[in-house]
Amino acid sequence: MATTDVPARSASRLTAPKSKRVLPGFGLSLGISLFFISLVLLLPIAGLVIRAGGMGWDQFWFVITDPRVVASYKVTALAALGASLFNCVFGLLMAWVLVRYDFPGKRLLDAIMDLPFALPTAVAGITLATLFAENGWYGQVLSSMGIEVAYTPLGIVVAMAFTSVPFVVRTVQPVLEELAPEDEEAAMSLGASDFTVFRRILFPALWPAVVTGGALSFARSLGEYGAVIFIAGNSPYVSEVISLMIFVRLEEYDFPAASAIAAVVMTVSLLLLLAINIWQGRYLKRLHGG
Amino acid sequence: MPNAFSSVFTSRKGRALGALALVLSLAGPASAADRQLLNSSYDIARELFADYNELFARHWQEETGETVEIQQSHAGSSKQARAILQGLDADVVTYNQVTDVNILAERGRLIPEDWASRLPNNSSPYYSTMAFLVRDGNPKNIENWDDLIREDVELIMPNPKTSGNGRYTYLAALGYAKDKYGDDQDKIDAFMSELLGHVKVFDSGGRGATTTFVERGLGDVLLTFESEVNNIPELNPDKQFEVVVPKVSFLAEFPVAWIDKNIEKKGNEKLAKEYLEYLYSEDAQRLLAGFNYRVHNETVQKEMADKFPDLKLMSIQEIAGSWESAMQTHFASGGKLDQLQRQR
């Protein structure tokens, strides 16, 4: 789940190819692609399901509904929701700034945006924990205002937001680039207010991209381990995330149970991504009149 | 192997072969040493074995004239055991938990079930116990386990679910409670539940807990190995801490074993056995004691007597019967630990 890819920035420009065969050998290249997808994605997932499947429904149900595991579903889902909502707002803003304005250091900022992907998540986790601890740079200021971040569920949100914000930025960016400023100018010259321009022109075009980015960010956050455990405090029923519960089962050499919980997370992520894809397809059809 | 590669380079067979050779050499670095040995060990033993490897390499060269390069692999010891079960061809394991060596015998059939009797002291060349680290001047006046459940005390310890260190801490507290309350199970449970409730952060490993306490300044007491606790003031001279060793604690054995299946395959039998046996030599025991581990060698014990206060050390048999039953009753899913944490 962690390897879900962001569409390349130029991809959207290629969505409607003029000639169907830009690359030769469609059969061969599709064959190779399918082969590698099976090898890299489908086989490991199948292995996971088979391993979890070896335990029978009763046992499977018992493992995945353990109260402590259920508590961790809640913690993880809520934190991931918080993180992806934050990312939707902040990521949209970042994408807007990167596409619509020119300023010195823009290229650098653009490159830095991908840093959370490049950084090992454990390093991110340790760094964030240092910053947000009571004696850290941010933590000092925040704790003087009575806000505790490190070792609380809020810390989980921070870590998840950090590791998944590029998903939103990189999804919205190409769509924004496609959007001609002329529409906005036309609307404004007809007397539309800023808010109306946003609501009637920008929002309908950007909305699907933001939701997709948010969903990717959410799916990624569900599985985040490295960045989270260092800042979470890992208290039972309060700040244990689902990936920690999987790790705990592995630590008990209980591979089937670990696979069972992993299968639950995977199914949720998969359904979510599928739903978003279907919805987006329909929405775009309606927007562009089929 | 190295010769084959260098001839490829000199025969100018083109860049592709050169690049391939480079990739291969990165995958498994060819070494100048005559012999190689892979030691799979636990997280916080990195520095210890870096020093021991030098000592042993010298010893081996004196004995046989061969140079030996020892590769270290460190992580949580259960994770290391899993890696070996999945095929990592480590020659020897030096862990901080008996259960992680047992699993190699039970699941992997890589070593015999009676591995612990192959070397002295249950195949544990050194041992340690659980101790407390408190802040400068011991402001909360922590002396024994009872002080840990006072209202104003916050604890930092590794998660017993993910860390052997955490399990040891749990068992040490349990040993104390049994020593104090005898057969009164309700009182023991109440004490344990209270103690776990005072834990502010359950880090996933021993080093993580140390970082949380030392660098982040969280909590009043850090619970971890005596060896680790003693290293911290030495490694952080600018920050002041005090070490408190409780009167009753747990005998934490550090088991070692050679992996029969792997050393046979690699022809490393003699080297691997010697690597572990030499841990019992006086020089090695002195080195281990230097890293604040308790050792069995009497000469070294006398030399270091003031470093290791006398205390009542309880074995796993006294506390939980055996490692198997400790794992089943306390740490398995839905076990005692889960129940105690649910009560809160």
Side-chain angles (χ1 to χ4, degrees):
Chain A
M1 279 123 327
T3 52
T4 329
D5 216 340
V6 186
R9 278 179 62 190
S10 54
S12 66
R13 291 192 197 114
L14 297 171
T15 42
K18 302 281 179 293
S19 95
K20 275 197 163 173
R21 298 280 159 89
V22 180
L23 291 171
F26 171 73
L28 182 67
S29 47
L30 181 70
I32 292 176
S33 308
L34 283 180
F35 176 68
F36 276 101
I37 286 177
S38 315
L39 214 62
V40 176
L41 288 177
L42 295 181
L43 269 183
I45 290 176
L48 188 77
V49 171
I50 289 168
R51 199 135 213 197
M55 60 197 310
W57 275 110
D58 287 3
Q59 235 181 329
F60 181 81
W61 187 248
F62 180 77
V63 165
I64 63 169
T65 56
D66 176 78
R68 196 157 162 187
V69 175
V70 171
S72 78
Y73 295 140
K74 280 183 199 151
V75 170
T76 313
L78 283 176
L81 192 68
S84 41
L85 284 179
F86 172 84
N87 282 347
C88 283
V89 176
F90 180 72
L92 178 61
L93 189 75
M94 272 304 298
W96 180 260
V97 168
L98 284 174
V99 171
R100 284 298 167 91
Y101 298 104
D102 266 318
F103 51 92
K106 179 175 158 177
R107 282 262 176 91
L108 185 71
L109 194 67
D110 201 11
I112 286 177
M113 215 49 244
D114 282 330
L115 208 61
F117 281 165
L119 208 63
T121 53
V123 174
I126 293 173
T127 313
L128 289 172
T130 312
L131 284 174
F132 283 98
E134 264 170 70
N135 58 7
W137 290 348
Y138 302 167
Q140 269 171 357
V141 181
L142 289 170
S143 71
S144 71
M145 294 187 285
I147 305 171
E148 267 192 78
V149 177
Y151 310 108
T152 67
L154 195 56
I156 304 177
V157 179
V158 169
M160 286 177 172
F162 176 83
T163 48
S164 61
V165 69
F167 281 112
V168 180
V169 179
R170 294 305 186 215
T171 319
V172 174
Q173 221 172 352
V175 179
L176 255 181
E177 274 168 1
E178 288 281 287
L179 213 63
E182 286 83 1
D183 293 353
E184 294 159 56
E185 285 161 17
M188 273 192 248
S189 69
L190 291 172
S193 67
D194 284 353
F195 181 70
T196 311
V197 172
F198 180 77
R199 193 169 60 90
R200 305 291 293 265
I201 310 276
L202 294 175
F203 194 67
L206 290 179
W207 175 233
V210 173
V211 172
T212 307
L216 287 174
S217 156
F218 183 81
R220 164 69 194 264
S221 298
L222 287 184
E224 186 54 52
Y225 178 73
V228 170
I229 49 150
F230 288 102
I231 199 173
N234 307 320
S235 279
Y237 302 98
V238 179
S239 52
E240 277 183 335
V241 291
I242 195 69
S243 47
L244 179 71
M245 299 314 294
I246 296 175
F247 187 70
V248 163
R249 294 293 174 272
L250 285 179
E251 202 71 11
E252 292 165 354
Y253 299 101
D254 195 348
F255 298 111
S259 309
I261 303 175
V264 171
V265 184
M266 194 185 68
T267 311
V268 170
S269 299
L270 213 61
L271 287 178
L272 185 78
L273 294 176
L274 198 68
I276 290 291
N277 257 344
I278 293 171
W279 170 80
Q280 199 184 23
R282 287 197 181 151
Y283 183 88
L284 285 179
K285 227 176 205 175
R286 214 178 59 206
L287 196 69
H288 300 303
Chain B
M1 277 298 253
N3 294 334
F5 282 146
S6 53
S7 71
V8 170
F9 280 123
T10 47
S11 69
R12 294 188 210 161
K13 283 233 175 171
R15 292 213 177 99
L17 270 180
L20 182 69
L22 184 70
V23 169
L24 285 175
S25 65
L26 284 176
S31 158
D34 300 326
R35 305 287 294 269
Q36 283 187 7
L37 190 80
L38 176 59
N39 175 12
S40 164
S41 192
Y42 57 98
D43 223 350
I44 56 182
R46 207 175 306 264
E47 297 85 1
L48 165 69
F49 279 100
D51 282 13
Y52 175 69
N53 291 344
E54 257 179 59
L55 186 75
F56 176 76
R58 267 204 305 278
H59 164 75
W60 184 258
Q61 191 156 26
E62 277 166 24
E63 294 269 295
T64 65
E66 286 178 330
T67 53
V68 58
E69 185 192 296
I70 295 138
Q71 290 164 342
Q72 296 174 265
S73 166
H74 295 273
S77 79
S78 305
K79 198 172 156 199
Q80 294 288 76
R82 273 202 306 280
I84 293 179
L85 286 179
Q86 284 159 5
L88 177 78
D89 57 351
D91 298 280
V92 296
V93 295
T94 50
Y95 287 160
N96 56 9
Q97 273 197 97
V98 175
T99 47
D100 290 326
V101 189
N102 275 338
I103 209 92
L104 297 176
E106 288 160 17
R107 291 232 178 169
R109 309 248 164 249
L110 297 167
I111 54 175
E113 300 260 354
D114 65 341
W115 60 270
S117 60
R118 297 194 297 194
L119 288 167
N121 309 108
N122 287 328
S123 279
S124 167
Y126 54 100
Y127 61 103
S128 189
T129 183
M130 308 319 288
F132 313 149
L133 190 71
V134 296
R135 307 215 175 264
D136 191 23
N138 198 356
K140 301 256 164 117
N141 200 19
I142 306 291
E143 294 300 333
N144 209 347
W145 292 97
D146 277 330
D147 300 320
L148 302 186
I149 57 169
R150 278 205 320 256
E151 202 137 303
D152 58 334
V153 177
E154 279 186 345
L155 312 176
I156 305 293
M157 71 178 261
N159 193 337
K161 287 280 190 175
T162 57
S163 154
N165 190 330
R167 283 193 272 277
Y168 279 146
T169 301
Y170 174 95
L171 289 170
L174 184 64
Y176 169 78
K178 284 203 164 170
D179 192 57
K180 184 171 178 188
Y181 300 116
D183 289 335
D184 194 340
Q185 193 59 42
D186 289 346
K187 279 192 174 161
I188 296 174
D189 287 353
F191 173 81
M192 290 305 290
S193 170
E194 191 70 23
L195 184 95
L196 291 167
H198 279 257
V199 178
K200 168 98 174 158
V201 179
F202 281 108
D203 275 288
S204 59
R207 264 296 149 84
T210 301
T211 313
T212 302
F213 183 79
V214 173
E215 301 293 331
R216 320 261 189 272
L218 253 80
D220 303 303
V221 186
L222 169 71
L223 290 88
T224 183
F225 286 120
E226 182 190 42
S227 50
E228 173 84 348
V229 152
N230 273 309
N231 282 333
I232 295 165
E234 287 170 26
L235 291 171
N236 298 276
D238 54 320
K239 295 190 177 102
Q240 299 298 309
F241 298 104
E242 272 180 38
V243 175
V244 177
V245 183
K247 316 274 179 301
V248 180
S249 196
F250 180 61
L251 170 70
E253 291 183 309
F254 287 62
V256 301
W258 57 81
I259 309 298
D260 303 63
K261 278 259 168 72
N262 292 344
I263 57 175
E264 264 169 46
K265 205 170 55 192
K266 294 162 80 177
N268 268 348
E269 284 105 332
K270 193 161 169 278
L271 175 66
K273 286 175 189 171
E274 182 66 20
Y275 182 78
L276 297 182
E277 273 159 15
Y278 192 63
L279 280 167
Y280 292 89
S281 72
E282 197 175 308
D283 283 347
Q285 296 265 301
R286 195 166 286 121
L287 180 101
L288 289 162
F291 278 90
N292 302 305
Y293 289 108
R294 294 177 181 237
V295 294
H296 300 290
N297 184 292
E298 283 176 19
T299 324
V300 181
Q301 269 181 356
K302 274 183 198 129
E303 279 172 26
M304 307 266 181
D306 54 332
K307 201 169 167 179
F308 301 109
D310 241 347
L311 63 156
K312 180 172 177 183
L313 286 182
M314 295 177 75
S315 70
I316 184 72
Q317 284 77 17
E318 287 172 85
I319 297 172
S322 69
W323 269 112
E324 287 75 35
S325 85
M327 295 305 284
Q328 269 170 22
T329 355
H330 293 279
F331 303 118
S333 300
K336 199 90 201 176
L337 173 64
D338 281 356
Q339 290 164 24
L340 290 170
Q341 288 183 324
R342 195 171 307 169
Q343 280 168 12
R344 303 204 48 93

